[in-house]
Amino acid sequence: MSQPTTRLTVAQALVRFLSAQYTERDGVRHRLIAGTWGIFGHGNVAGIGQALLEYGDVMPYHQGRNEQAMVHAAVGHARQLDRLSAQAVTTSIGPGATNLVTGAALATINRLPVLLLPGDYFASHAPDPLLQQLEHPVEFDVSVNDTLRPVSRYFDRITRPEALVPSALNAMRVLADPADTGAVTLALPQDVQAEAYDWPEEFFAERVWRVRRPAPDPAELADAVRAVRAAERPLIVAGGGVHHSRAESALRAFVEATGVPVASTQAGKGALRHDHPADLGGVGHTGTAVADDLARTADLVIGLGTRYTDFTTASGTLFQNPDVRFLNLNITGLDAHKLAARTLVCDARAGLDALTEALAGHRVAAAYEAEYRAGKERWERVVEAAYRADDEDAVPTQTQVLGALDAVVGDDDVVINAAGSLPGDLHKLWRARSPRQYHLEYGYSCMGYEIPAGIGVQQAAPDTVVWSLVGDGTYLMNPTEIVTAVQEGLPVNLVLIQNHGYASIGGLSESVGGERFGTAYRFRSADGTFGGAPLPVDLAANAASLGMEVLRAKTVRELRAALAAARASSRPTCVYVETDPASTAPGAEAWWDVPVAATATRAPALRAREDYDRQVAGRRRHL
């Protein structure tokens, strides 16, 4: 008996297939591909473009302005929904496709799902070469889309219609797998997109991909329990995996049963509410004094859903106890085995529940609890000092901007940031009140992420107040999705902070002997340096020209009023503020290894190298 079929183009079949895919975890179902972002050109306009028009009733379409930004929006959406729902992104061939690379890298590094559907050359090679085609002299099957291979968790080029069936299923498998997810690329030759084929009806049946919660191995669990019981100064480093697993309640239960304190990475902040007695705030180069002081003396570091890095966790320089050992609970073996750790390869919530039960009756010493609670109280006074504005009519500093925002946000508002000096100030100072409030992309620290990510978060959680915090440097990288927010009627709030230059990299440049070279937005002086007056740019006017309501604030008092007005607004709103460039943020609490020139003639570089040689002597390899 023949199998029932439906005749559709490859693009139509793909869109119809995607509309019937679901994830399910803990009995709750989500659309796996909730919508498709697209910018059309030759390579996708007559294929995927026509298919999205044909099936607009089942596959929402969102118009973007920049291909990289579309991926950022999709990533923001996926993170807000704990990786249980993703979005697709379609582009033309050529520059439209290569513009995806940065966004794809960001998605894969952060372990966040996004489906990329770039157009490609003709599989038949009938027009050869066609417009925007890369002509490789010896590998004729290579196209510019091959740049997406190293930054994708799964890649395929669909050169025949029937090849779509196994490839589409594999793509969904990877997107829905918490241990394997990231960017998935299906490169679509434009002639194949438009080709008709008789598809088995089963291909379009509703399909549910269950998101697993793998339990810990009994032997690994027993080892972990022994390690925790033997530790006198254990410290949890909570990463993004706690959020992705929705393990916040399990973490709180573990902490309240054992008394083990929690420091958090940029991705993990908010795993405990900021006012929990065991929440010590951020860890690493931008960590709090209390968290980093405990990290230096910890004899057991328990990594929960973190992949560790040289910056966010200062992995090679911070953990200085000669006897320190690591216990890593992670859903991926790659991350669990880092730093020569004991491993607990499992879902974060399942693993924490099992550890809490197995450690029944165990608690850290009262003196240790008293120590870290006193440190937390001292740090809270540092936060208050950084936020405080004694003169309401003065120009605010950057930390006072955060203090004004802290006074306005609701518990469930989402604050988004990614690059510049703001991530450091936020990691040290922000008081996260709910698990999703603190949304920092620091796996790739990509300038230009904040505005499109705000759109993705707003799409995922329409009733949530969203704040995209953007410095002048990152704003100039990618402001165009403001138009998309206006077009879609998404009331994203943009806090645009103008300090006339790259404050973060300027500070780093100064510390490594670079003398802030090339880090300011200023006129070129007579000596060839960029030390003249600030450029006469008006970023607020630019935001207004793209359709945003703009509120300008010159003082702390005006800033508080503008933020309150923005939060009450039902349309995309920008609060623009020029800040006092003087830093009022606490300094770095851990050393970051950034190599300094070994030979130089300028005095700042020579001094920086002397300091580097002293610091690098303390670097460790944890074996």
Side-chain angles (χ1 to χ4, degrees):
M1 184 174 178
S2 62
Q3 194 176 30
T5 61
T6 298
R7 191 163 183 80
L8 299 172
T9 68
V10 169
Q12 291 164 354
L14 177 57
V15 171
R16 186 173 164 187
F17 167 83
L18 294 177
S19 70
Q21 307 303 303
Y22 294 84
T23 62
E24 183 179 285
R25 187 174 68 180
D26 303 331
V28 180
R29 186 174 293 195
H30 302 262
R31 275 283 295 266
L32 177 49
I33 305 298
T36 299
W37 287 91
I39 296 176
F40 295 113
H42 92 99
N44 70 338
V45 66
I48 290 290
Q50 191 281 329
L52 289 169
L53 175 64
E54 188 96 4
Y55 291 104
D57 57 331
V58 293
M59 178 56 68
Y61 164 69
H62 309 293
Q63 183 180 19
R65 270 74 197 173
N66 174 284
E67 291 86 359
Q68 176 181 318
M70 293 193 298
V71 185
H72 292 340
V75 167
H77 175 277
R79 176 170 168 173
Q80 180 68 18
L81 295 176
D82 303 310
R83 307 191 297 192
L84 296 171
S85 181
Q87 293 177 319
V89 178
T90 179
T91 72
S92 63
I93 71 170
T98 51
N99 282 351
L100 295 172
V101 174
T102 296
L106 181 148
T108 295
I109 286 170
N110 284 287
R111 322 293 207 257
L112 291 165
V114 60
L115 176 62
L116 307 180
L117 304 173
D120 214 322
Y121 57 56
F122 278 60
S124 66
H125 293 293
D128 181 64
L130 75 158
L131 178 64
Q132 298 176 324
Q133 180 178 336
L134 172 71
E135 294 183 86
H136 196 287
V138 294
E139 296 181 79
F140 208 59
D141 61 340
V142 167
S143 81
V144 295
N145 288 337
D146 288 274
T147 59
L148 289 161
R149 288 183 185 270
V151 292
S152 296
R153 294 297 294 168
Y154 179 83
F155 179 100
D156 197 9
R157 179 175 286 115
I158 311 302
T159 57
R160 293 179 58 88
E162 60 267 37
L164 178 65
V165 174
S167 189
L169 292 169
N170 273 321
M172 299 304 103
R173 171 187 59 79
V174 174
L175 289 171
D177 186 340
D180 203 33
T181 196
V184 167
T185 301
L186 298 181
L188 302 171
Q190 55 185 302
D191 54 342
V192 177
Q193 287 181 51
E195 187 174 340
Y197 183 75
D198 293 322
W199 303 91
E201 274 293 327
E202 288 178 286
F203 184 54
F204 307 118
E206 188 175 289
R207 194 178 301 267
V208 178
W209 302 84
R210 286 190 171 81
V211 179
R212 298 181 295 275
R213 287 194 181 278
D217 175 82
E220 285 195 333
L221 178 62
D223 283 346
V225 169
R226 284 192 290 271
V228 176
R229 288 188 180 277
E232 295 181 358
R233 300 181 64 81
L235 174 67
I236 291 169
V237 173
V242 177
H243 293 310
H244 298 327
S245 177
R246 294 188 180 172
E248 297 92 355
S249 295
L251 174 60
R252 186 172 62 251
F254 176 84
V255 167
E256 290 174 356
T258 64
V260 179
V262 176
S264 54
T265 68
Q266 289 279 15
K269 196 172 172 75
L272 281 184
R273 189 180 154 96
H274 76 93
D275 52 5
H276 192 285
D279 180 66
L280 308 183
V283 70
H285 183 69
T286 54
T288 67
V290 57
D292 283 0
D293 284 347
L294 259 67
R296 274 184 275 272
T297 59
D299 56 0
L300 179 68
V301 177
I302 306 171
L304 298 179
T306 178
R307 64 187 187 89
Y308 294 103
T309 72
D310 70 322
F311 186 93
T312 300
T313 52
S315 304
T317 60
L318 179 58
F319 307 111
Q320 289 296 319
N321 187 326
D323 300 319
V324 67
R325 293 293 180 266
F326 295 83
L327 166 63
N328 292 337
L329 190 164
N330 204 294
I331 202 165
T332 70
L334 169 67
D335 294 320
H337 282 274
K338 288 176 178 174
L339 303 177
R342 292 181 174 87
T343 61
L344 202 55
V345 181
C346 60
D347 170 75
R349 195 172 84 182
L352 282 166
D353 286 344
L355 272 174
T356 303
E357 181 179 356
L359 286 164
H362 174 76
R363 192 169 185 87
V364 300
Y368 184 50
E369 284 193 76
E371 177 187 344
Y372 69 68
R373 290 190 182 202
K376 178 180 174 65
E377 290 178 6
R378 288 193 299 273
W379 185 256
E380 187 59 30
R381 292 193 288 272
V382 172
V383 174
E384 290 293 344
Y387 280 0
R388 186 172 56 247
D390 295 324
D391 183 358
E392 290 281 307
D393 295 314
V395 174
T397 65
Q398 184 163 281
T399 62
Q400 289 168 349
V401 171
L402 298 184
L405 184 62
D406 177 75
V408 169
V409 298
D411 282 8
D412 295 319
D413 290 11
V414 176
V415 176
I416 300 171
N417 190 237
S421 57
L422 275 166
D425 292 355
L426 285 160
H427 199 206
K428 292 187 193 83
L429 303 173
W430 190 258
R431 299 184 283 208
R433 307 174 197 177
S434 62
R436 304 292 165 269
Q437 182 173 86
Y438 188 87
H439 184 124
L440 262 283
E441 188 290 297
Y442 221 70
Y444 206 43
S445 185
C446 186
M447 296 178 75
Y449 172 82
E450 296 91 339
I451 297 173
I455 291 170
V457 170
Q458 196 81 76
Q459 289 176 324
D463 297 327
T464 298
V465 178
V466 177
W467 302 87
S468 291
L469 275 56
V470 182
D472 50 85
T474 194
Y475 180 86
L476 287 168
M477 289 274 186
N478 195 13
T480 54
E481 297 313 306
I482 286 174
V483 177
T484 304
V486 172
Q487 181 180 38
E488 298 262 345
L490 298 171
V492 175
N493 294 310
L494 172 62
V495 181
L496 178 50
I497 302 173
Q498 169 68 283
N499 59 20
H500 299 285
Y502 298 116
S504 174
I505 205 67
L508 177 62
S509 172
E510 187 172 42
S511 72
V512 298
E515 302 176 54
R516 294 184 177 262
F517 176 71
T519 63
Y521 296 145
R522 294 178 180 272
F523 285 104
R524 187 186 294 271
S525 300
D527 62 359
T529 64
F530 295 90
L535 297 176
V537 297
D538 190 339
L539 302 184
N542 178 262
S545 75
L546 297 177
M548 275 197 139
E549 178 183 359
V550 175
L551 306 173
R552 295 176 183 257
K554 295 182 178 179
T555 67
V556 174
R557 190 186 311 279
E558 291 177 1
L559 175 63
R560 295 186 193 279
L563 292 171
R567 191 174 190 280
S569 177
S570 60
R571 58 170 296 192
T573 303
C574 170
V575 175
Y576 174 83
V577 57
E578 294 197 37
T579 56
D580 183 336
S583 176
T584 50
E589 295 291 339
W591 184 67
W592 183 30
D593 188 347
V594 178
V596 177
T599 62
T601 57
R602 298 176 71 90
L606 294 172
R607 289 193 298 269
R609 182 65 195 197
E610 290 176 2
D611 182 64
Y612 179 81
D613 288 338
R614 285 193 300 271
Q615 296 279 10
V616 79
R619 186 173 55 197
R620 295 185 61 181
R621 288 197 182 276
H622 296 284
L623 300 172

PDB file of all heavy atoms in Angstrom, residues 388-395 555-560:
ATOM      1  N   ARG A 388      24.400  55.541  45.517  1.00  0.00           N
ATOM      2  CA  ARG A 388      23.908  56.764  46.162  1.00  0.00           C
ATOM      3  C   ARG A 388      24.307  58.025  45.374  1.00  0.00           C
ATOM      4  O   ARG A 388      25.421  58.143  44.885  1.00  0.00           O
ATOM      5  CB  ARG A 388      24.456  56.859  47.585  1.00  0.00           C
ATOM      6  CG  ARG A 388      23.878  58.036  48.390  1.00  0.00           C
ATOM      7  CD  ARG A 388      24.301  57.957  49.850  1.00  0.00           C
ATOM      8  NE  ARG A 388      25.733  57.889  50.035  1.00  0.00           N
ATOM      9  CZ  ARG A 388      26.385  56.813  50.513  1.00  0.00           C
ATOM     10  NH1 ARG A 388      25.698  55.727  50.853  1.00  0.00           N
ATOM     11  NH2 ARG A 388      27.691  56.830  50.656  1.00  0.00           N
ATOM     12  N   ALA A 389      23.366  58.941  45.260  1.00  0.00           N
ATOM     13  CA  ALA A 389      23.625  60.244  44.641  1.00  0.00           C
ATOM     14  C   ALA A 389      23.301  61.325  45.662  1.00  0.00           C
ATOM     15  O   ALA A 389      22.128  61.594  45.945  1.00  0.00           O
ATOM     16  CB  ALA A 389      22.769  60.415  43.395  1.00  0.00           C
ATOM     17  N   ASP A 390      24.322  61.922  46.245  1.00  0.00           N
ATOM     18  CA  ASP A 390      24.107  62.933  47.278  1.00  0.00           C
ATOM     19  C   ASP A 390      23.540  64.224  46.691  1.00  0.00           C
ATOM     20  O   ASP A 390      22.841  64.965  47.379  1.00  0.00           O
ATOM     21  CB  ASP A 390      25.420  63.212  48.014  1.00  0.00           C
ATOM     22  CG  ASP A 390      25.912  61.988  48.780  1.00  0.00           C
ATOM     23  OD1 ASP A 390      25.059  61.256  49.316  1.00  0.00           O
ATOM     24  OD2 ASP A 390      27.133  61.773  48.816  1.00  0.00           O
ATOM     25  N   ASP A 391      23.835  64.471  45.417  1.00  0.00           N
ATOM     26  CA  ASP A 391      23.329  65.673  44.752  1.00  0.00           C
ATOM     27  C   ASP A 391      22.408  65.241  43.617  1.00  0.00           C
ATOM     28  O   ASP A 391      22.861  64.779  42.566  1.00  0.00           O
ATOM     29  CB  ASP A 391      24.497  66.503  44.218  1.00  0.00           C
ATOM     30  CG  ASP A 391      24.028  67.808  43.568  1.00  0.00           C
ATOM     31  OD1 ASP A 391      22.803  68.040  43.493  1.00  0.00           O
ATOM     32  OD2 ASP A 391      24.900  68.575  43.119  1.00  0.00           O
ATOM     33  N   GLU A 392      21.107  65.375  43.797  1.00  0.00           N
ATOM     34  CA  GLU A 392      20.119  64.939  42.805  1.00  0.00           C
ATOM     35  C   GLU A 392      20.190  65.773  41.533  1.00  0.00           C
ATOM     36  O   GLU A 392      19.664  65.361  40.498  1.00  0.00           O
ATOM     37  CB  GLU A 392      18.710  65.039  43.404  1.00  0.00           C
ATOM     38  CG  GLU A 392      18.426  64.013  44.487  1.00  0.00           C
ATOM     39  CD  GLU A 392      18.086  62.645  43.924  1.00  0.00           C
ATOM     40  OE1 GLU A 392      17.185  62.573  43.076  1.00  0.00           O
ATOM     41  OE2 GLU A 392      18.720  61.666  44.343  1.00  0.00           O
ATOM     42  N   ASP A 393      20.827  66.931  41.587  1.00  0.00           N
ATOM     43  CA  ASP A 393      20.891  67.800  40.409  1.00  0.00           C
ATOM     44  C   ASP A 393      22.235  67.710  39.688  1.00  0.00           C
ATOM     45  O   ASP A 393      22.533  68.522  38.800  1.00  0.00           O
ATOM     46  CB  ASP A 393      20.608  69.244  40.817  1.00  0.00           C
ATOM     47  CG  ASP A 393      19.184  69.423  41.332  1.00  0.00           C
ATOM     48  OD1 ASP A 393      18.255  68.910  40.664  1.00  0.00           O
ATOM     49  OD2 ASP A 393      19.006  70.027  42.404  1.00  0.00           O
ATOM     50  N   ALA A 394      23.039  66.718  40.064  1.00  0.00           N
ATOM     51  CA  ALA A 394      24.338  66.528  39.422  1.00  0.00           C
ATOM     52  C   ALA A 394      24.208  65.564  38.238  1.00  0.00           C
ATOM     53  O   ALA A 394      23.244  64.797  38.131  1.00  0.00           O
ATOM     54  CB  ALA A 394      25.335  65.978  40.431  1.00  0.00           C
ATOM     55  N   VAL A 395      25.204  65.610  37.351  1.00  0.00           N
ATOM     56  CA  VAL A 395      25.285  64.631  36.264  1.00  0.00           C
ATOM     57  C   VAL A 395      25.578  63.262  36.878  1.00  0.00           C
ATOM     58  O   VAL A 395      26.495  63.133  37.708  1.00  0.00           O
ATOM     59  CB  VAL A 395      26.400  65.016  35.274  1.00  0.00           C
ATOM     60  CG1 VAL A 395      26.587  63.928  34.229  1.00  0.00           C
ATOM     61  CG2 VAL A 395      26.075  66.349  34.622  1.00  0.00           C
ATOM     62  N   THR A 555      20.328  65.114  34.737  1.00  0.00           N
ATOM     63  CA  THR A 555      20.681  65.016  36.153  1.00  0.00           C
ATOM     64  C   THR A 555      20.121  63.723  36.727  1.00  0.00           C
ATOM     65  O   THR A 555      19.293  63.041  36.109  1.00  0.00           O
ATOM     66  CB  THR A 555      20.105  66.199  36.945  1.00  0.00           C
ATOM     67  OG1 THR A 555      18.673  66.091  36.943  1.00  0.00           O
ATOM     68  CG2 THR A 555      20.527  67.523  36.340  1.00  0.00           C
ATOM     69  N   VAL A 556      20.533  63.383  37.946  1.00  0.00           N
ATOM     70  CA  VAL A 556      20.006  62.203  38.622  1.00  0.00           C
ATOM     71  C   VAL A 556      18.497  62.331  38.797  1.00  0.00           C
ATOM     72  O   VAL A 556      17.750  61.369  38.570  1.00  0.00           O
ATOM     73  CB  VAL A 556      20.699  62.022  39.988  1.00  0.00           C
ATOM     74  CG1 VAL A 556      20.047  60.873  40.759  1.00  0.00           C
ATOM     75  CG2 VAL A 556      22.194  61.777  39.805  1.00  0.00           C
ATOM     76  N   ARG A 557      18.049  63.524  39.170  1.00  0.00           N
ATOM     77  CA  ARG A 557      16.615  63.743  39.382  1.00  0.00           C
ATOM     78  C   ARG A 557      15.827  63.504  38.085  1.00  0.00           C
ATOM     79  O   ARG A 557      14.804  62.816  38.061  1.00  0.00           O
ATOM     80  CB  ARG A 557      16.377  65.158  39.899  1.00  0.00           C
ATOM     81  CG  ARG A 557      14.952  65.419  40.378  1.00  0.00           C
ATOM     82  CD  ARG A 557      14.755  66.889  40.750  1.00  0.00           C
ATOM     83  NE  ARG A 557      15.811  67.401  41.616  1.00  0.00           N
ATOM     84  CZ  ARG A 557      15.847  67.212  42.942  1.00  0.00           C
ATOM     85  NH1 ARG A 557      14.881  66.530  43.537  1.00  0.00           N
ATOM     86  NH2 ARG A 557      16.829  67.720  43.658  1.00  0.00           N
ATOM     87  N   GLU A 558      16.315  64.075  36.985  1.00  0.00           N
ATOM     88  CA  GLU A 558      15.645  63.899  35.698  1.00  0.00           C
ATOM     89  C   GLU A 558      15.699  62.440  35.243  1.00  0.00           C
ATOM     90  O   GLU A 558      14.756  61.938  34.623  1.00  0.00           O
ATOM     91  CB  GLU A 558      16.289  64.807  34.648  1.00  0.00           C
ATOM     92  CG  GLU A 558      16.036  66.287  34.883  1.00  0.00           C
ATOM     93  CD  GLU A 558      16.762  67.162  33.869  1.00  0.00           C
ATOM     94  OE1 GLU A 558      17.445  66.605  32.987  1.00  0.00           O
ATOM     95  OE2 GLU A 558      16.650  68.397  33.967  1.00  0.00           O
ATOM     96  N   LEU A 559      16.795  61.771  35.558  1.00  0.00           N
ATOM     97  CA  LEU A 559      16.937  60.366  35.181  1.00  0.00           C
ATOM     98  C   LEU A 559      15.888  59.504  35.869  1.00  0.00           C
ATOM     99  O   LEU A 559      15.244  58.653  35.233  1.00  0.00           O
ATOM    100  CB  LEU A 559      18.342  59.877  35.531  1.00  0.00           C
ATOM    101  CG  LEU A 559      18.616  58.387  35.298  1.00  0.00           C
ATOM    102  CD1 LEU A 559      18.483  58.034  33.826  1.00  0.00           C
ATOM    103  CD2 LEU A 559      20.002  58.019  35.826  1.00  0.00           C
ATOM    104  N   ARG A 560      15.699  59.701  37.163  1.00  0.00           N
ATOM    105  CA  ARG A 560      14.694  58.916  37.889  1.00  0.00           C
ATOM    106  C   ARG A 560      13.305  59.123  37.276  1.00  0.00           C
ATOM    107  O   ARG A 560      12.547  58.161  37.080  1.00  0.00           O
ATOM    108  CB  ARG A 560      14.672  59.312  39.364  1.00  0.00           C
ATOM    109  CG  ARG A 560      15.940  58.990  40.135  1.00  0.00           C
ATOM    110  CD  ARG A 560      15.748  59.281  41.630  1.00  0.00           C
ATOM    111  NE  ARG A 560      17.004  59.274  42.337  1.00  0.00           N
ATOM    112  CZ  ARG A 560      17.644  58.174  42.750  1.00  0.00           C
ATOM    113  NH1 ARG A 560      17.116  56.988  42.513  1.00  0.00           N
ATOM    114  NH2 ARG A 560      18.785  58.269  43.401  1.00  0.00           N
TER     115      ARG A 560
END
